[in-house]
Amino acid sequence: MKRAIFLDRDGTLNIDVGYLHKLEQLELFPWTGDALRLLKRAGYLLVIVSNQAGIARGLIDPKFVEVAHAEMRRRLQAAGADLDALYFCPHHPGGSVPALSIDCRCRKPSPGMIEDAVADLGIDPRQSWVVGDKWLDVQLGQAVGAKSILVRTGWGAQQEQDRPQGQQVDAVCDNLIHAVSVILGGTP
Ligand SMILES: [Mg+2]
Ligand SMILES: [Zn+2]
């Protein structure tokens, strides 16, 4: 069984611009390549799990998500940190595109994307981590028995101030490179 880092995308790997819908808006954080390369070198698979409700809302062309992910991989490959898989949820119950406006099994914090990755890639979620800038990322990790980290980039600093009652988390970190030091060092 393999270990993986399940990565939120917007606000965790790249600047969250709202609904990313053109390539000029795609800006990785300066540390993202280094962070992912360190995780890869430590033997973790790198898997993006991203809610893209803008597709259900008609604000993002689903084909653009593929273009953005190809460009992201191209930049990360150059940093020696290629991704192993990318999953995204195009749904939202309040969307405007009828076929996508459903209560799906994959919109975080529902675990559908991780369940698919576990089946596709042979991952043990209990040896894996979820890293993201929202509590729903942390809750996703908890839903599958993974450890989870909230990063303060993107929405994270605000989310930290707005912690749901009783919400647990393995660590809160300044950014992805700090999260890597926790994952690899074993101490929060
Ligand atoms: Mg995010
Ligand atoms: Zn979905």
Side-chain angles (χ1 to χ4, degrees):
M1 294 291 267
K2 295 169 190 155
R3 301 176 301 164
I5 310 296
F6 296 104
L7 298 150
D8 170 53
R9 197 191 79 183
D10 302 326
T12 301
L13 303 183
N14 55 282
I15 294 175
D16 188 342
V17 296
Y19 293 111
L20 176 73
H21 67 282
K22 46 185 191 198
L23 230 33
E24 302 88 270
Q25 297 172 314
L26 175 61
E27 189 177 344
L28 295 173
F29 291 120
W31 52 80
T32 297
D34 287 335
L36 296 186
R37 190 177 58 257
L38 289 166
L39 293 171
K40 204 172 179 66
R41 205 179 272 160
Y44 286 98
L45 297 182
L46 303 176
V47 180
I48 286 189
V49 287
S50 179
N51 281 354
Q52 291 296 319
I55 301 173
R57 294 195 158 110
L59 302 171
I60 301 173
D61 182 343
K63 287 200 259 355
F64 172 75
V65 179
E66 305 291 351
V67 171
H69 286 176
E71 172 61 17
M72 195 175 266
R73 287 189 70 174
R74 194 189 62 75
R75 295 186 200 174
L76 291 171
Q77 279 161 2
D82 196 8
L83 302 166
D84 294 284
L86 302 89
Y87 296 84
F88 64 93
C89 165
H91 309 111
H92 193 279
S96 57
V97 179
L100 299 176
S101 302
I102 58 167
D103 233 337
C104 65
R105 56 179 281 280
C106 45
R107 180 170 167 76
K108 297 183 287 187
S110 294
M113 290 189 282
I114 288 189
E115 288 169 358
D116 289 349
V118 162
D120 292 346
L121 302 170
I123 293 165
D124 179 1
R126 289 171 304 274
Q127 295 186 63
S128 300
W129 296 71
V130 175
V131 183
D133 70 326
K134 289 188 179 168
W135 290 115
L136 59 78
D137 296 303
V138 170
Q139 292 156 1
L140 170 70
Q142 290 164 344
V144 298
K147 292 201 176 96
S148 42
I149 293 177
L150 181 76
V151 286
R152 294 188 177 100
T153 49
W155 289 94
Q158 200 169 316
Q159 291 271 295
E160 188 182 17
Q161 300 305 313
D162 206 11
R163 187 170 179 144
Q165 186 122 38
Q167 176 67 57
Q168 302 290 309
V169 63
D170 291 288
V172 180
C173 293
D174 278 354
N175 57 29
L176 184 61
I177 201 88
H178 182 194
V180 170
S181 75
V182 170
I183 292 168
L184 301 185
T187 47

